[in-house]
Amino acid sequence: MVMYSVTKKRWDAITHHDGQYDGQFIYGVRGDMQVCKPSCQRHQHLARGDIKIFKNPDEALLDGYTPCPDCFPFGKLSPRDQLVYEVKSYIAKHYDQRLTLEQLSEHFHVSPGVLHRSSLLVTGQTPQNYLLEVRMTRAQEMLREGKLSVAMIALKVGIPNVSYFNTVFKQQVGMTAAQYRKKFN
Ligand SMILES: [Zn+2]
């Protein structure tokens, strides 16, 4: 994932709750895992190290952050949008576990059909597709780091069957995990 640094300009914007920077970036607060606009007043005593900068909602969701209920960093959300964003954030935090549509819908107290349709409507993607995307993103990061075996990476992204992992990886990324690793190391 792209990392944006907490520059002095951004840090000043956050500590001064400067609305001029709204729309340019959003920031996540590690303590409560919520993401805010620069102008948000919710957090008053932040440390620079507690902050993570994102350029768009997708990056924040992929990192497991949820939108702040005070400043609406993704705009005003309907209950359906809110549900889908919370599900995405949940998936990003639990991608290493077995996660089915049934488990997700139970956790969020909606029917599998509602969850499936809501996700498609709001993001154009089913929860299962998003789960796969998160798993492949994390797998590619670990392959680029070059420390773990492919089998270990498969396990860490919640796909313990390594041959199934290899099949999915090739489908999604267009090359095998071993080829991907070679390309970056
Ligand atoms: Zn906020």
Side-chain angles (χ1 to χ4, degrees), residues 12-185:
D12 284 348
I14 292 165
T15 49
H16 294 109
H17 315 289
D18 189 343
Q20 283 184 51
Y21 287 86
D22 287 356
Q24 295 189 24
F25 70 90
I26 50 182
Y27 69 95
V29 181
R30 289 195 174 92
D32 59 11
M33 288 304 281
Q34 284 182 342
V35 63
C36 285
K37 289 188 206 172
S39 65
C40 186
Q41 305 273 344
R42 185 180 176 87
H43 301 96
Q44 296 293 338
H45 304 285
L46 290 168
R48 208 155 160 164
D50 298 338
I51 298 294
K52 216 169 157 182
I53 305 291
F54 301 104
K55 291 289 178 73
N56 61 55
D58 280 345
E59 291 174 357
L61 290 167
L62 188 57
D63 233 25
Y65 287 83
T66 48
C68 164
D70 290 353
C71 68
F72 307 105
F74 308 164
K76 292 261 185 206
L77 300 179
S78 68
R80 184 172 64 201
D81 293 342
Q82 186 75 37
L83 167 72
V84 171
Y85 285 136
E86 278 173 20
V87 170
K88 284 184 91 167
S89 165
Y90 185 86
I91 289 173
K93 279 182 217 147
H94 298 94
Y95 67 91
D96 56 339
Q97 299 159 21
R98 197 180 121 81
L99 268 190
T100 63
L101 182 65
E102 284 68 29
Q103 286 168 327
L104 284 170
S105 53
E106 226 166 81
H107 184 86
F108 288 95
H109 310 291
V110 290
S111 75
V114 164
L115 184 53
H116 177 87
R117 280 192 303 276
S118 304
S119 297
L120 267 181
L121 273 167
V122 175
T123 65
Q125 206 177 24
T126 65
Q128 295 96 318
N129 284 339
Y130 186 66
L131 174 61
L132 202 59
E133 188 186 309
V134 172
R135 285 176 165 163
M136 292 303 118
T137 302
R138 295 296 179 231
Q140 288 172 74
E141 285 168 5
M142 286 187 249
L143 284 165
R144 289 198 300 268
E145 280 167 19
K147 287 182 204 136
L148 300 171
S149 69
V150 172
M152 185 55 88
I153 291 172
L155 194 64
K156 275 184 166 287
V157 300
I159 309 178
N161 180 335
V162 68
S163 70
Y164 179 66
F165 170 84
N166 275 319
T167 305
V168 173
F169 190 92
K170 189 157 185 208
Q171 270 169 11
Q172 299 285 318
V173 185
M175 64 181 93
T176 68
Q179 286 166 339
Y180 186 88
R181 164 163 281 164
K182 228 181 229 164
K183 203 175 139 185
F184 285 94
N185 287 284

